[in-house]
Amino acid sequence: MTMIRLTNITKSFATVGGSVSALSGIDLTIDRGEIFGIIGSSGAGKSTLVRLINLLERPTGGDVFVDGERVTGVQGAQLRALRRKIGMVFQHFNLLSARTVAANVAYPLELAGIYDKAEIAARVARLLDRVGLTDHAAKYPRQLSGGQKQRVGIARALACEPSVLLCDEATSALDPQTTLSVLDLLQEINRDLGVTIVIITHEMDVIRHACDKVAVIDHGRIVETGTVRDVFLHPKHAATLGLLREAEPDQAHRSPSPTTGATGHVARITLVDEAARQPVLARMSREFGVDYAILSGRVGHIRQTPYAQFTISLSGADPVGALAALKARGVDVEILASPRTGATNPGHPLSQPELAHVV
Ligand SMILES: Nc1ncnc2c1ncn2[C@@H]1O[C@H](COP(=O)(O)OP(=O)(O)OP(=O)(O)O)[C@@H](O)[C@H]1O
Ligand SMILES: [Mg+2]
């Protein structure tokens, strides 16, 4: 079921010299209970996009729907109700320095004006327990580490029991270890409370670790969207490849391409989940009498799911038969270069007719 829907959104900002277009032609659907990532490089339009969801920015064109309701033009009490439904977490935490941890978390509950003191205290205690800060309730923000500050930010964002949590670069100011622990907390919140979470980031590793789906944004447009598994293992757009290269500078997206200098058949084999634990290449080698050299490889996890992806060049008795047999067993095989067609297609598999010719 759809939680957030943006249809044909454009956004431009008036400037001294005229106007800048920050977003154009944005169509996006985020389902209830998902952890949805939006990734792009600096200036791509990520913050503008996420701020449209809680109407911190108003679109120039198009519509915003939240939980089935068109919210594009809402004002006043309706707008305040919408904002209570949508919590937000910021890169630089935005805590009130003169308030204690507990008082920071209590703040939105006080503003809501519908809870008495005892109710607020009970809620704050529950929230601090959820984010693991019970022992720090009486401290001030300056006495906390970055990771602890962000936990306060998350507890505060959850105070009014929102159904959506927007996180704009929530881990970008944190070290890698702390980033992982905050991403784990967000996943726990998603699982336990069913909160739909939107994660804005410029880091592919954040997407890989925490998200179900992802949209890649480039120059104000969504250029690629899908499950993290598809986009991460089979990137299509140059912007996605660029973001992957930042995360994995020496891997499959390196330049010059992995097929450079290789002779014979070059194929990319992708193994996910159970298959990633199987000796697929060794078996192929034994059964078909082919040798292979690994030109590049990526091994890791997408959320909890293991994956392994190798670009290999094959030689020996029957490379074509070997690859066809792997495919017939359901292995994800993409032919990148083949001596028979003379085709080389770095980074992009051959088209269906080409493939039929090879395999
Ligand atoms: N209030 C504003 N006035 C004028 N231009 C703006 C405004 N806010 C954003 N922009 C412009 O819109 C574009 C998108 O900005 P946005 O902040 O959404 O990018 P971003 O992807 O969040 O970047 P970063 O990763 O650096 O945070 C940029 O060209 C930016 O300069
Ligand atoms: Mg931003």
Side-chain angles (χ1 to χ4, degrees):
M1 210 167 47
T2 302
M3 188 70 210
I4 296 164
R5 195 152 68 89
L6 306 181
T7 56
N8 200 20
I9 290 281
T10 56
K11 174 69 185 175
S12 45
F13 292 102
T15 59
V16 251
S19 78
V20 281
S21 164
L23 296 172
S24 42
I26 300 281
D27 287 303
L28 185 68
T29 301
I30 299 177
D31 285 337
R32 184 185 297 277
E34 251 171 15
I35 304 186
F36 196 101
I38 296 172
I39 187 166
S41 53
S42 185
K46 306 181 295 295
S47 295
T48 307
L49 179 57
V50 79
R51 288 161 62 84
L52 285 167
I53 296 171
N54 59 0
L55 299 185
L56 283 175
E57 300 284 2
R58 300 279 173 164
T60 311
D63 273 311
V64 180
F65 298 85
V66 176
D67 211 359
E69 260 180 82
R70 182 172 172 271
V71 298
T72 320
V74 303
Q75 303 281 357
Q78 269 183 306
L79 179 60
R80 284 193 294 278
L82 175 74
R83 296 249 171 91
R84 271 202 298 278
K85 208 167 168 167
I86 304 179
M88 190 150 183
V89 182
F90 304 89
Q91 176 173 2
H92 297 294
F93 323 124
N94 299 12
L95 303 180
L96 299 168
S97 58
R99 281 181 165 238
T100 62
V101 165
N104 265 282
V105 177
Y107 190 59
L109 296 168
E110 292 166 11
L111 285 185
I114 49 175
Y115 307 104
D116 65 29
K117 271 204 156 103
E119 172 74 23
I120 291 176
R123 279 181 177 239
V124 169
R126 276 204 303 275
L127 288 158
L128 290 181
D129 180 48
R130 170 158 294 285
V131 301
L133 289 180
T134 303
D135 295 341
H136 302 273
K139 286 188 180 165
Y140 287 86
R142 65 175 179 279
Q143 296 170 294
L144 303 178
S145 69
Q148 290 168 334
K149 281 184 208 168
Q150 196 54 295
R151 284 168 187 270
V152 179
I154 292 168
R156 179 183 58 186
L158 291 175
C160 295
E161 299 182 344
S163 30
V164 177
L165 196 59
L166 306 177
C167 307
D168 190 354
E169 301 277 7
T171 57
S172 298
L174 307 175
D175 65 55
Q177 202 54 47
T178 311
T179 291
L180 290 186
S181 77
V182 167
L183 293 178
D184 286 345
L185 174 64
L186 290 175
Q187 291 180 85
E188 216 175 279
I189 287 163
N190 168 260
R191 199 177 51 233
D192 296 353
L193 306 178
V195 177
T196 304
I197 300 185
V198 183
I199 294 182
I200 300 287
T201 181
H202 61 277
E203 289 175 285
M204 196 52 98
D205 278 340
V206 167
I207 301 286
R208 182 173 62 79
H209 193 81
C211 298
D212 302 306
K213 290 205 190 126
V214 61
V216 182
I217 180 166
D218 185 45
H219 292 102
R221 291 179 180 276
I222 292 175
V223 295
E224 191 160 351
T225 183
T227 64
V228 173
R229 194 184 283 195
D230 282 347
V231 173
F232 183 80
L233 293 175
H234 298 292
K236 293 189 175 63
H237 195 274
T240 317
L241 289 165
L243 292 159
L244 278 167
R245 212 175 287 126
E246 276 171 38
E248 306 175 335
D250 203 27
Q251 297 302 320
H253 325 286
R254 69 186 180 180
S255 183
S257 89
T259 56
T260 305
T263 54
H265 291 80
V266 178
R268 183 163 60 199
I269 312 282
T270 306
L271 307 166
V272 179
D273 216 343
E274 269 308 296
R277 309 266 192 231
Q278 304 296 320
V280 172
L281 296 182
R283 259 185 218 142
M284 172 193 73
S285 178
R286 211 166 42 234
E287 279 182 41
F288 293 89
V290 296
D291 291 326
Y292 62 88
I294 297 176
L295 305 179
S296 70
R298 313 158 75 191
V299 178
H301 289 81
I302 297 169
R303 295 197 77 174
Q304 264 64 258
T305 308
Y307 70 87
Q309 184 173 58
F310 301 108
T311 301
I312 57 176
S313 71
L314 297 96
S315 54
D318 186 13
V320 170
L323 292 173
L326 283 193
K327 267 179 92 76
R329 285 171 202 170
V331 175
D332 177 347
V333 178
E334 298 160 279
I335 315 281
L336 303 183
S338 147
R340 231 164 76 186
T341 61
T344 59
N345 206 349
H348 289 280
L350 301 183
S351 65
Q352 278 307 319
E354 286 169 323
L355 211 108
H357 182 63
V358 178
V359 175

